[in-house]
Amino acid sequence: MSPADPLSPLDERLARALAPALDTATGPVLLAVSGGPDSTALMHAAAIRGARTTPFVATVDHGLRAASAEEAAQVGRLAARLGLPHAILTWETQRRDGRIQAEARAARYRLLSRHAESIGADRILTAHTRDDQAETVLMRLLAGSGPAGLAGMRPERPLSDGLRLVRPFLGLAKADLVAYCAAHALPFVSDPSNADERFARARLRRLLPLLEGEGLSIARLARLATRLARDEAALAARAATVFGEVRIGKVGEGLMLDGRRLAREPEAIVLRVVDAALDAVAQGGDGEPAPKRLERLESLVLDGILPALARTEPLRRTLRGTIVGVGPSGRIRLTPAPQRRPAEPRK
């Protein structure tokens, strides 16, 4: 099919989804293509639709399966047929078996970001679908996430200065992309890890039809993510305003908040302001930031800071490498915790 040929309804749906990402690009666009049906549809739809500049294609070879190199080469052959430049990015770092999927994901975005910067691209497009969104919401629900986590994947988010990750197909069903590949006779690969029940996402994928039978469909899970993302954006905007109002100033490498003013806000806003304050202190420190756990933040704020402010009692807690103190004046002081000394070797 050439760009002048009439598009089928399915082709039009993919073209409409791609339009905002392709039409607003001021430079090269990088397509992340693994060779599965979703990303293969992304590559083909972007190629036949056309863009201001020729899209670039990159495939990350994680080297986790014997067939991965050939699958990456297959993507290259299809990209060449479509007239798109293709690069294979190889992950060669030592891996830890216990966190292999998390490490592979981090490596994938790291390699894609470096390649995007090398070609001058300001955005990376991935082919995450509505099905992926539903699985993400379920996984985060089981992990105890709050509204920000249950809002799922965002259609667009920053990766680094000047580089954004864009997910144009987040509103499309995976079945549509499989049908698109079939309609255009596009070869694609099936990753066996998608059905490997050692991984939580694969186990949840098996349960989705049962949940759908009870009314918890993929569409409803995706709609939940959209609603929570909308609400989270409003809460985040209000929290940013309040943070600016209650931030008194810096204390060395830390900062001070007006706790009495903050306590007049709803708990949802207080939680976000304290979270932002912890982030601000952590950014001024050394080393990797500690992982966030909502229940620990809730314990600090709801069981610690707010009761201490109400009773005018002192408080001293540590969370995410930051000492949080409440004084009798009602001010909240956040300072970096001292670095722990490594344990002395036994003689």
Side-chain angles (χ1 to χ4, degrees):
M1 176 184 293
S2 69
D5 292 333
L7 298 178
S8 72
L10 185 55
D11 291 344
E12 287 181 355
R13 203 177 313 157
L14 269 66
R16 282 197 305 272
L18 277 170
L22 296 181
D23 293 348
T24 59
T26 56
V29 172
L30 179 62
L31 311 177
V33 181
S34 66
D38 306 345
S39 59
T40 298
L42 171 69
M43 177 170 62
H44 184 271
I48 67 168
R49 184 188 181 281
R52 292 182 180 181
T53 60
T54 300
F56 285 70
V57 180
T59 303
V60 177
D61 179 8
H62 296 96
L64 299 177
R65 294 180 290 106
S68 65
E70 172 53 30
E71 290 167 359
Q74 180 177 309
V75 173
R77 290 190 289 270
L78 180 55
R81 278 172 42 198
L82 296 170
L84 304 181
H86 176 256
I88 297 175
L89 313 176
T90 305
W91 183 32
E92 297 177 339
T93 307
Q94 187 175 2
R95 307 94 193 257
R96 293 172 293 179
D97 291 340
R99 300 186 66 250
I100 192 67
Q101 283 205 318
E103 291 190 358
R105 179 181 181 279
R108 179 161 61 251
Y109 285 116
R110 187 167 59 250
L111 290 167
L112 288 169
S113 295
R114 287 176 186 165
H115 187 63
E117 291 166 358
S118 74
I119 62 174
D122 67 350
R123 64 197 64 186
I124 299 171
L125 272 59
T126 65
H128 291 102
T129 66
R130 189 174 66 184
D131 301 57
D132 297 316
Q133 182 74 296
E135 293 167 7
T136 297
V137 171
L138 270 180
M139 289 188 71
R140 293 182 180 179
L141 180 64
L142 293 174
S145 295
L150 296 180
M153 295 181 284
R154 306 304 196 267
E156 187 172 330
R157 71 173 178 87
L159 283 174
S160 61
D161 289 342
L163 181 62
R164 301 190 68 79
L165 175 68
V166 184
R167 301 179 174 104
F169 291 168
L170 208 52
L172 299 179
K174 182 181 182 68
D176 288 341
L177 303 186
V178 173
Y180 181 94
C181 289
H184 291 278
L186 301 174
F188 61 82
V189 300
S190 297
D191 186 347
S193 67
N194 289 334
D196 189 338
E197 295 200 0
R198 290 178 300 171
F199 303 122
R201 189 175 285 270
R203 295 194 297 273
L204 285 177
R205 194 172 291 131
R206 178 174 56 83
L207 292 174
L208 277 170
L210 298 175
L211 295 174
E212 187 153 3
E214 297 296 331
L216 190 58
S217 64
I218 286 174
R220 283 185 173 173
L221 286 165
R223 195 176 307 125
L224 172 65
T226 299
R227 289 169 175 165
L228 284 171
R230 179 183 61 209
D231 293 350
E232 179 61 24
L235 289 167
R238 175 59 185 164
T241 299
V242 173
F243 186 25
E245 293 173 356
V246 303
R247 184 170 180 168
I248 297 172
K250 296 197 67 168
V251 181
E253 295 181 357
L255 56 87
M256 189 86 75
L257 305 178
D258 182 345
R260 289 176 179 169
R261 163 67 185 85
L262 180 59
R264 297 201 297 267
E265 294 292 327
E267 289 179 352
I269 300 300
V270 180
L271 285 162
R272 285 164 175 77
V273 170
V274 173
D275 182 54
L278 289 165
D279 282 347
V281 173
Q283 287 167 7
D286 298 324
E288 290 293 323
K292 292 187 177 184
R293 298 189 185 279
L294 180 58
E295 63 272 15
R296 293 182 182 175
L297 179 65
E298 288 173 331
S299 176
L300 170 67
V301 172
L302 305 182
D303 302 331
I305 292 175
L306 290 178
L309 289 169
R311 295 193 291 262
T312 321
E313 294 178 352
L315 173 81
R316 182 183 170 91
R317 296 271 189 92
T318 301
L319 180 64
R320 291 176 1 211
T322 299
I323 298 172
V324 182
V326 177
S329 65
R331 292 187 172 186
I332 304 169
R333 178 172 175 162
L334 300 94
T335 54
Q339 294 287 331
R340 291 184 177 180
R341 292 183 179 181
E344 292 285 341
R346 292 185 177 181
K347 295 181 179 179

